Amino acid sequence: SAAAVATHWFDPKYASQQSPMMKALQAPTAWDTSRGAGVTIAVLDSGFQASHPDLAGKVVGTWDVVARNTDVTEAAGALAPGHGTAVASVAAAASNNLKGIAGAAPSAKLLLVGVGDSLGDIYEDTSAAGIVWAADHGADVINMSYGAQTDDITFAEVRAIEHALRKGVMIVASAGNDPSSSTVFPAAADGIVAVGATTTTGTAQTSWSAYGSWVDLGAPGVGVPVALPLANDLYDGLKDTEYGPEQTPLCSSVVGDQVTTELSTRAIG
């Protein structure tokens, strides 16, 4: 049998802030089998700081679908500065490096895909292009911590999602920060795992999370410690909707842990 993986990590924010929410996800149990090794998580967002100490060395590919180049640096005028870096860190920040936080799948690799314009706004066509690029460049899991309250989804996004699903990619998206049962896309699209927010211990829904039959999972979304760009404080614990929704990459990374376990089982079998 596989040896148990140490879960008492030497990351300053882990014991003081991350431990309760990781226990709510049963992540330590998953880590006994896998920490995401061999899995690539694609994070689609408005921009990133790929050189951040908790991300450096984990990034295996970058692409900005708007500029059509590999520079995914966040635009200076972004309305939610640091969001992409924060999301990527929650999913897969390095562990046991004596810095900041531990990602929920700390051994996973990252694809950072910029899908935002100069203000950080994300539109359906760029989101669709990001999904296709990620699926075609080795993503096992795609994370989208964004969305809009609407009744429908564009044909381009439907085709992109179907393309990724045909390649066996798991897609996880935020259900949003509006306390309503109204659908939010892309999360509510067929084939996507829609994630709402719970309290830190996972015992109750937050007052601001979307809800409804279209929401598939819930994960802690309050006070989640994240990595921020170096121009800001390196790390912070986000409260409520300050950046949000960080519950989505938590689920993406646990999915990544499960993908690794599944692949290992198939190899052994």
Side-chain angles (χ1 to χ4, degrees), residues 63-74:
W63 186 248
D64 188 293
V65 302
V66 178
R68 297 193 61 78
N69 60 39
T70 58
D71 184 3
V72 293
T73 305
E74 189 170 54

Side-chain angles (χ1 to χ4, degrees), residues 80-233:
H83 188 271
T85 302
V87 169
S89 72
V90 172
S95 64
N96 277 334
N97 61 351
L98 302 178
K99 297 175 183 177
I101 66 172
S107 297
K109 296 297 185 181
L110 288 166
L111 290 173
L112 304 181
V113 188
V115 292
D117 64 12
S118 61
L119 294 178
D121 291 330
I122 299 171
Y123 295 95
E124 291 90 342
D125 57 342
T126 56
S127 178
I131 293 169
V132 171
W133 187 91
D136 288 347
H137 287 80
D140 298 296
V141 182
I142 292 175
N143 182 94
M144 298 183 289
S145 292
Y146 57 82
Q149 194 174 98
T150 178
D151 294 329
D152 206 351
I153 188 171
T154 66
F155 182 60
E157 283 186 294
V158 170
R159 290 190 64 182
I161 292 165
E162 290 176 344
H163 174 75
L165 294 175
R166 282 195 298 270
K167 285 179 169 282
V169 180
M170 175 72 74
I171 309 175
V172 183
S174 166
N177 296 341
D178 187 14
S180 165
S181 61
S182 298
T183 52
V184 170
F185 285 92
D190 290 342
I192 290 185
V193 179
V195 185
T198 71
T199 56
T200 301
T201 57
T203 55
Q205 176 184 305
T206 66
S207 61
W208 46 265
S209 176
Y211 57 88
S213 60
W214 58 276
V215 179
D216 300 298
L217 297 174
V222 179
V224 180
V226 300
L228 294 176
L230 301 180
N232 302 315
D233 291 334

